[in-house]
């Protein structure tokens, strides 16, 4: 008896000691939550402290940002569950079919993601309060619930915002909306290091934060996922249920439980007298959000939006006359976070039952997607599928019929060796969402783009089949090993993918001189298309160890080199032909700062640093007009708002520089800076409007927004014609499917080259308003205007948008290196 009492005493003493060591966020940080913004390192320190002092919490690192900040998540559950956590996880995955075996899970899995937008910073503060409340006051919920908490999805953006605010704010803080502390400078804290919006990157996983998070997410596949956000200062709080349109694969249970969750939140908000709204603005269609992606993976995916955003700081006067404080904001987020865990705990059994049902995919129309094309493009797609742990294989069928993506109707393809992605797998519904020819749209008023079809994005020929096509294993990518031939005339390489572009970029960076052919030719019995790269001994006589350098670079990039003993062509052009041009080692400048879109600049920055790996010089708009452009060969203008920036003097300066051999690449609205101005060959298409009666506009007030959709194009995929003889189109066929993000329309260039264009508009996916659609007749997509010895290249559609439209990127590379390459700089 004494021994039992002694053991009990030791246990109680040890437990009490651990509890005594566990500190609240305010005690640990040395200030009350809401009194200042917490640096990310201190957030990590607090979560480490909690995990060290609570048996209900483990803390994990799943990656590292570009600026070397840790990406982390905590697993929170009862002490008993923590001892069995791996079995709980595996039983949960068995319920989906991802892990084989039978199970009867009874535990709810809830994932809470905070601060995906860096300047929506109240949620990370709420995360610290939420975890403390869960393990000190709400422990009962954890008996049948596992809570996974990512306290900061975007540490780089958060610290950019928090550091700026902490350096800028007044003491005490100033609530005047005009105060400096409420007006962030460009680019703001919202995006990550490369200025990407991480809440648009779940499906494409182009950023290190996203791809790292998917690895952790796929280990758990939660029942519930909440993405905490902030919105304008005058909009109190938004929570589920979401707005239409809902994607058609969303189940009635997913819809219904969103409503149940919303009503649970409302109970707490009503008690406190806090305002909120539901079923407006935030829809569930585009698959790359923090609410839709989990939803299409079986979860109840939700966005919670608190008033505040980057403007609010520690406190701000709203238009309604009250002061919104950080303390208010974090309390509201804490309340919905806890409410989500509560209702999940109460419905754990039902969540498991309905979750299992979601992964039955027998009702999907298309059973298989069959894709053919360049091996580099197929490999790029399989890398994306691997990130999502979506299964695929290859078929030996000679011919497969079904819906043809290229023809937008029934057709067939030669399928021998083709990639097959089936919906007959646990993640079959996500396969449908990513690959479907045209997403069903219940309402055109959406929050984002309405088309993203993967076959078009990757430039692949594809068939959607209603039959399950047998596919076997994974095709092993061959490793190419080239050998040097010092006695040969040179080497030839194909040109049709971003892998070829990265190969060229490294050759140039290492001072290897490279040519390309503007004509098809045959050498030593092998045929080569326009754009093929030619690396000659004669051009590289001064390069030390030229042969081995070229071979090393080619092997590194897994590029096949064709060795040629003679520069004399079997057919077509010889190496010395005027149509075989040297490629300049381009000196590239990119405009950034005010007037430019930070997202577009970030896409360009990321493209050069992480994909092409070629140096650029970023020049800020603050001093660009004073910059000596003679140091550069190419100037890239991101999408932006240049109406108030480029005056006549600065345009004249640009025109003079272009005339002397410079090249401007204007992306999306960057082209507007030159539209309808003398000497730039770009004229707007004037859409014909229906005549209104002289009595005026009689459209009712509550119908005006919906009436305007006729002028919208919300991310629609259009079929374009391509001039394959132009160097900017080398590596492409005569058809290109372009993602059009707006209704801007320009006439065909009169004196320049119309490289990709629309004659009669054909939209194969996504929403286009009738007037906007009609306005695209005879419109430019990509074009080159010559000015003197230089060029102005218009990319009306942005080929780098969110870095997921893979098939557009080679146009951009061609514009930089191959277009108007008549003058070689030594």
């Amino acid at each position: 008896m004494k021994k039992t009492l002694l053991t009990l005493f030791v246990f109680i003493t040890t437990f009490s000691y651990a509890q005594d060591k566990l500190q609240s966020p305010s005690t640990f940080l040395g200030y009350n939550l809401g009194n200042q913004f917490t640096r990310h390192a201190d957030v990590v320190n607090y979560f480490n402290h909690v995990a060290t002092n609570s048996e209900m919490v483990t803390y994990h690192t799943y990656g590292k940002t570009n600026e070397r900040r840790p990406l982390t998540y905590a697993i929170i559950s009862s002490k008993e569950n923590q001892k069995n956590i791996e079995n709980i996880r595996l039983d949960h995955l068995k319920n989906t079919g991802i892990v084989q075996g039978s199970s009867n899970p009874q535990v709810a899995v809830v994932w809470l993601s905070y601060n995906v937008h860096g300047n929506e910073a109240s949620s990370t503060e709420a995360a610290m309060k939420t975890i403390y409340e869960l393990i000190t006051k709400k422990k009962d919920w954890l008996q049948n619930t596992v809570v996974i908490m990512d306290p900061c999805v975007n540490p780089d953006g958060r610290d950019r915002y928090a550091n700026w605010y902490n350096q800028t704010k007044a003491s005490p803080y100033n609530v005047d909306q005009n105060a400096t502390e409420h007006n962030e400078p460009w680019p703001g804290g919202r995006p990550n290091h490369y200025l990407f919006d991480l809440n648009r990157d779940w499906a494409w996983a182009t950023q290190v934060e996203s791809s790292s998070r998917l690895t952790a997410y796929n280990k758990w596949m939660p029942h519930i996922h909440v993405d905490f956000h902030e919105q304008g200062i005058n909009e109190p709080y938004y929570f589920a249920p979401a707005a239409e349109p809902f994607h058609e694969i969303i189940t009635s249970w997913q819809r219904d439980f969103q409503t149940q969750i919303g009503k649970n939140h409302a109970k707490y908000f009503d008690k406190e007298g806090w305002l909120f709204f539901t079923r407006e603005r935030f829809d569930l269609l585009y698959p790359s959000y923090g609410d839709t992606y989990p939803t299409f993976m079986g979860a109840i995916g939700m966005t919670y939006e608190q008033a505040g955003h980057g403007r609010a700081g520690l406190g701000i006067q709203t238009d309604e006359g009250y002061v919104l404080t950080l303390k208010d904001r974090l309390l509201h987020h804490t309340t919905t976070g806890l409410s989500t865990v509560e209702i999940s705990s109460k419905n754990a059994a039902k969540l498991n039952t309905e979750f299992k049902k979601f992964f039955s995919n027998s009702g999907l129309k298309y059973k298989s997607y069959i894709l053919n094309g360049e091996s580099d493009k197929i490999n790029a797609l399989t890398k994306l599928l691997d990130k999502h742990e979506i299964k695929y294989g290859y078929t030996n069928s000679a011919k497969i019929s079904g819906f043809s993506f290229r023809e937008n109707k029934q057709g067939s393809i030669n399928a021998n060796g083709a990639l097959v992605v089936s919906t007959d797998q646990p993640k079959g519904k996500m396969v449908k969402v990513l690959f479907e020819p045209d997403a069903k749209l219940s309402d055109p008023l959406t929050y984002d783009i309405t088309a993203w079809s993967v076959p078009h994005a990757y430039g692949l020929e594809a068939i959607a089949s209603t039959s399950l096509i047998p596919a076997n294993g994974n095709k092993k990518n061959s490793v190419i090993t080239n050998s040097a031939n010092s006695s040969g005339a040179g080497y030839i390489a194909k040109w049709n993918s971003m892998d070829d572009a990265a190969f060229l970029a490294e050759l140039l960076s290492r001072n290897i001189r490279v040519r390309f052919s503007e004509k098809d030719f045959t050498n030593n019995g092998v045929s080569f298309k326009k754009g093929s790269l030619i690396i000659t001994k004669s051009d590289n006589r001064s390069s030390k160890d030229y042969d081995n350098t070229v071979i090393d670079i080619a092997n590194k990039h897994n590029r096949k080199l064709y060795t040629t003993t003679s520069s004399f062509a079997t057919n077509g052009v010889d190496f010395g032909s005027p149509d075989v041009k040297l490629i300049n080692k381009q000196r590239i400048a990119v405009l950034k700062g005010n007037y430019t879109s930070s997202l577009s600049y970030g896409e360009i920055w990321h493209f050069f640093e992480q994909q092409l790996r070629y140096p650029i010089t970023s020049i800020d708009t603050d001093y660009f007009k004073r910059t000596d452009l003679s140091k550069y060969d190419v100037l890239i203008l991101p999408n932006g708002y240049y109406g108030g920036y480029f005056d006549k003097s600065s345009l004249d300066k640009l025109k003079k520089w272009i005339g002397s051999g410079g090249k401007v690449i204007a992306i999306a609205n960057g082209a507007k800076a030159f539209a309808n101005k003398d000497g730039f060959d770009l004229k707007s298409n004037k859409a014909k409007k229906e005549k209104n009666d002289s009595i005026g506009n009689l459209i009712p007030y509550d119908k005006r927004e919906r009436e305007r959709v006729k002028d919208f194009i919300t991310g629609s995929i259009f079929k374009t014609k391509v001039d394959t003889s132009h160097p900017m189109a080398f590596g492409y066929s005569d058809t290109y499917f372009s993602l059009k993000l707006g209704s801007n329309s320009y006439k065909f260039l009169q004196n320049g080259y119309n490289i990709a264009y629309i004659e009669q508009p054909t939209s194969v996916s996504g929403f286009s308003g009738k007037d906007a659609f009609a306005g695209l007749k005879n419109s430019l997509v990509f074009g080159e205007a010559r000015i003197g010895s230089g060029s102005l290249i218009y990319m009306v559609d942005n080929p780098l948008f969110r870095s997921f439209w893979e098939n557009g990127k080679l146009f951009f590379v061609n514009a930089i290196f191959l277009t108007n390459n008549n003058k070689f700089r030594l």
Side-chain angles (χ1 to χ4, degrees):
M1 181 68 180
K2 288 182 178 179
K3 185 176 181 181
T4 302
L5 289 172
L6 179 61
T7 303
L8 184 61
F9 173 76
V10 171
F11 172 78
I12 293 172
T13 303
T14 303
F15 179 77
S16 300
Y17 178 69
Q19 289 293 98
D20 288 342
K21 287 184 67 178
L22 178 65
Q23 297 179 351
S24 69
S26 296
T27 301
F28 181 86
L29 296 169
Y31 54 85
N32 290 329
L33 283 179
N35 281 357
Q36 60 179 280
F37 288 104
T38 307
R39 294 182 307 129
H40 180 255
D42 292 330
V43 175
V44 171
N45 288 341
Y46 181 68
F47 271 77
N48 271 319
H49 162 78
V50 172
T52 301
N53 292 284
S54 173
E55 294 179 293
M56 291 181 283
V57 179
T58 59
Y59 192 41
H60 309 267
T61 298
Y62 65 85
K64 190 175 285 188
T65 71
N66 291 288
E67 296 175 16
R68 302 185 301 281
R69 294 181 177 90
L71 296 163
T72 65
Y73 65 93
I75 299 175
I76 308 146
S77 196
S78 68
K79 178 182 175 181
E80 293 73 21
N81 286 342
Q82 288 288 8
K83 291 177 180 178
N84 195 37
I85 199 70
E86 182 61 9
N87 287 331
I88 290 173
R89 184 183 72 84
L90 292 175
D91 279 350
H92 173 65
L93 291 181
K94 288 174 184 177
N95 211 25
T96 70
I98 292 172
V99 172
Q100 297 299 308
S102 60
S103 67
N104 184 30
Q106 299 296 316
V107 175
V109 180
V110 178
W111 189 302
L112 306 177
S113 290
Y114 298 86
N115 224 153
V116 66
H117 291 149
N119 60 359
E120 298 174 12
S122 69
S123 66
T124 289
E125 310 294 335
M128 292 186 282
K129 183 174 177 61
T130 302
I131 192 173
Y132 185 73
E133 294 278 324
L134 277 173
I135 63 176
T136 58
K137 299 179 181 179
K138 307 297 183 182
K139 290 182 283 188
D140 288 348
W141 298 343
L142 301 177
Q143 296 301 314
N144 70 341
T145 306
V146 172
V147 179
I148 301 165
M149 184 179 290
D150 185 337
C152 189
V153 174
N154 181 8
D156 292 350
R158 177 185 170 80
D159 268 5
R160 185 188 309 121
Y161 172 75
N163 290 338
W164 166 79
Y165 184 83
N166 290 338
Q167 292 166 1
T168 304
K169 73 175 182 70
S171 292
Y173 60 82
N174 190 333
V175 300
D176 187 336
Q177 292 183 20
N178 295 314
T180 301
E181 63 199 73
H182 301 304
N183 294 277
E184 286 180 89
W186 190 99
R190 178 185 176 95
N192 76 338
H193 170 80
Y194 279 110
L195 307 187
F196 272 64
D197 185 334
L198 294 179
N199 194 38
R200 309 297 192 277
D201 195 49
W202 276 76
W204 318 125
T206 67
Q207 300 302 292
V208 65
E209 295 91 344
S210 305
S211 57
S212 299
R213 183 176 63 254
L214 287 181
T215 301
Y217 190 90
N218 278 303
K219 288 181 179 179
W220 278 100
M221 295 284 290
H223 296 117
I224 306 287
H225 182 269
V226 179
D227 201 19
F228 290 89
H229 285 263
E230 293 191 73
Q231 56 191 346
I233 61 172
N234 300 304
E235 298 152 349
Y237 201 100
Y238 163 86
F239 50 69
E244 289 286 352
F246 281 62
H247 194 282
E248 64 178 317
I249 69 159
I250 297 173
T251 67
S252 58
W253 157 254
Q254 287 175 307
R255 287 172 176 255
D256 178 66
F257 199 63
Q258 279 207 359
T259 301
Q260 292 184 48
I261 292 171
K263 288 180 177 179
N264 204 56
H265 298 344
K267 175 179 66 178
Y268 292 106
F269 273 56
D270 288 341
K271 180 182 177 181
E272 297 295 335
W274 299 336
L275 292 175
F276 62 88
F277 65 97
T278 64
R279 294 164 292 194
E280 298 181 63
R281 297 189 184 177
F282 305 104
D283 60 73
L284 293 175
L285 183 72
Y286 174 61
S288 209
Y289 282 127
D291 53 8
T292 50
Y293 180 91
T295 298
F296 302 157
M297 290 290 200
I300 312 298
M302 297 169 291
T303 290
Y304 296 169
E305 296 266 358
Q306 162 63 47
H309 206 267
R311 289 198 67 201
L314 295 180
I316 191 169
Q317 186 86 31
T318 68
D319 292 350
E320 295 186 350
Y322 68 91
V323 174
L324 174 67
T325 68
L326 178 58
K327 291 180 180 179
D328 297 329
R329 291 150 60 198
L330 74 89
L331 180 58
H332 299 161
H333 268 333
T334 301
T335 301
T336 54
L338 292 173
S339 172
T340 302
V341 176
E342 176 191 33
I343 193 168
S344 301
S345 176
K346 290 179 178 178
N347 291 272
K350 184 69 170 175
L351 281 169
N352 278 285
T353 301
E354 295 295 335
F355 193 63
K356 184 174 184 177
K357 292 178 183 178
F358 181 89
F359 293 92
S360 173
N361 299 314
S362 59
L364 298 179
K365 176 182 178 181
Y366 293 120
K367 309 301 182 185
S368 302
Y369 296 92
I370 303 91
L371 304 105
N372 240 337
E374 288 293 333
S375 60
D376 289 340
K377 295 178 180 179
I378 293 288
N379 291 339
L381 175 54
T382 59
K383 288 177 183 177
L384 177 68
L385 298 176
D386 288 341
K387 288 181 179 181
H388 297 297
E389 299 182 17
I390 290 173
K391 298 174 184 177
Y392 54 88
Y394 298 85
T395 180
N396 294 320
S397 301
K399 181 180 178 182
I400 294 176
S401 299
F403 180 87
S404 169
F405 283 73
R406 180 181 175 87
E407 301 302 327
N408 205 35
K409 62 182 181 180
Q410 290 299 111
S412 61
I413 61 171
N414 177 3
N416 189 19
L419 176 70
V420 178
V421 187
S422 166
T423 57
D424 185 27
Q425 59 176 301
K427 295 180 179 178
K429 288 190 174 71
M430 179 58 85
V431 171
K432 168 187 164 55
V433 171
L434 294 178
F435 285 81
E436 61 191 339
D438 193 11
K440 185 177 179 181
L441 194 62
S442 63
D443 190 328
L445 286 174
T446 65
Y447 200 65
D448 211 279
I449 63 174
T450 56
W452 51 83
S453 185
V454 161
H456 292 312
Y458 281 77
L460 296 168
E461 190 176 4
I463 289 287
S465 173
T466 55
S467 300
L468 183 62
I469 304 300
N472 301 311
N474 292 332
K475 186 187 293 183
K476 291 185 178 179
N477 294 324
S478 59
V479 176
I480 296 172
T481 303
N482 299 284
S483 299
N485 182 4
S486 57
S487 62
Y491 305 94
I492 308 172
K494 67 180 181 65
W495 181 259
N496 51 31
S497 75
M498 271 302 301
D499 296 276
D500 299 326
F503 171 53
L504 170 64
E506 183 161 355
L507 287 170
L508 295 175
S509 295
R510 293 176 64 174
N511 297 315
I512 299 297
R513 300 177 82 184
V514 184
R515 293 177 182 266
F516 75 100
S517 176
E518 287 194 344
K519 304 287 186 183
D520 295 341
F521 68 98
T522 303
N523 187 290
N524 198 28
V526 180
S527 297
F528 297 95
K529 294 183 177 180
K530 301 176 184 68
S532 296
L533 303 181
I534 300 172
I535 311 161
T536 70
K537 178 192 295 183
S538 60
D539 287 328
N540 291 281
R541 290 186 182 280
S542 62
S543 177
K544 184 179 179 182
D545 206 19
Y546 141 75
D547 285 288
N548 288 329
T549 300
V550 171
I551 295 301
D552 287 347
I553 297 171
N555 290 342
K556 173 183 173 182
H557 291 269
N558 209 37
R559 298 299 89 192
K560 169 69 175 174
L561 292 182
Y562 295 85
T563 303
T564 177
T565 56
S566 173
S567 61
F568 189 92
T570 310
N571 287 301
V573 294
D574 303 317
F575 289 1
S577 166
D579 290 319
V580 177
K581 295 182 168 62
L582 276 166
I583 299 174
N584 204 14
K585 184 180 178 180
Q586 301 285 46
R587 302 167 300 177
I588 302 169
V590 182
L591 195 62
K592 61 168 288 197
N594 293 328
Y595 300 96
T596 70
S597 160
S598 61
L599 294 172
S600 180
Y601 168 75
E603 291 157 3
I604 297 165
W605 180 22
H606 180 265
F607 177 81
F608 280 103
E609 285 197 357
Q610 296 297 323
Q611 297 170 67
L612 199 62
R613 300 192 182 278
Y614 190 86
I616 59 172
T617 299
S618 296
I619 302 176
D620 201 281
T621 52
D622 285 349
Y623 56 85
F624 169 76
K625 292 179 181 179
R626 305 191 301 271
T627 301
D628 178 7
L629 292 180
S630 67
K631 296 179 179 179
Y632 309 102
D633 305 300
V634 179
L635 171 66
I636 300 171
L637 302 185
N639 185 24
Y641 320 95
Y642 297 106
Y645 186 72
F646 283 119
D647 54 18
K648 185 178 184 304
S649 174
S650 53
L651 286 176
D652 286 345
K653 178 182 175 182
L654 271 182
K655 189 185 295 185
K656 182 178 180 181
W657 174 74
I658 296 169
S660 64
K663 187 188 299 182
V664 169
I665 300 174
I667 298 175
N669 283 337
K672 273 189 175 182
F674 308 98
N676 308 312
K677 295 183 173 65
D678 291 341
F680 296 108
D681 201 16
L682 187 67
K683 306 296 180 185
S684 298
N685 264 329
K686 302 297 183 182
K688 293 180 180 179
K689 297 284 185 179
E690 294 180 7
K691 292 182 180 180
N692 289 325
D693 293 335
S694 59
I695 57 174
N697 191 338
L698 296 181
I699 299 170
Y701 177 84
D702 64 350
K703 300 292 191 297
R704 290 288 178 94
E705 182 180 24
R706 192 160 295 279
E707 175 68 16
R708 285 197 292 269
V709 302
K710 69 180 187 297
D711 298 316
F712 294 167
I713 294 177
T714 51
S716 184
I717 300 171
F718 279 80
K719 189 174 185 178
T720 74
K721 293 185 177 181
V722 178
D723 174 8
T724 58
S725 70
H726 192 284
M728 191 171 158
F730 288 171
Y732 287 90
S733 69
D734 61 1
T735 301
Y736 169 69
F737 292 92
S738 187
L739 180 63
K740 189 162 285 292
L741 302 171
S743 58
N744 286 345
S745 178
Y746 300 99
K747 295 179 179 179
F748 295 151
L749 303 179
Q750 294 300 302
N751 303 308
Y753 300 94
N754 297 286
I755 300 157
Y757 53 91
I758 296 169
E759 290 181 313
Q760 293 293 336
T762 301
S763 174
V764 299
S765 183
F767 175 77
S768 302
K770 65 176 184 178
D771 287 353
F773 181 89
L776 293 179
K777 184 177 181 179
N778 296 329
S779 64
L780 180 71
V781 175
F782 302 140
E784 180 202 7
R786 293 286 174 95
I787 300 175
S789 59
S791 294
L792 210 171
I793 294 172
Y794 301 115
M795 307 196 83
V796 179
D797 295 348
N798 180 3
L800 304 183
F801 178 68
R802 294 179 186 166
S803 194
F804 89 93
W805 203 256
E806 290 292 328
N807 197 38
K809 293 176 181 178
L810 195 62
F811 276 116
F812 185 62
V813 176
N814 288 344
I816 294 166
F817 292 107
L818 305 190
T819 300
N820 192 11
N821 215 0
N822 294 319
K823 190 172 75 172
F824 185 80
R825 174 178 48 79
L826 297 175

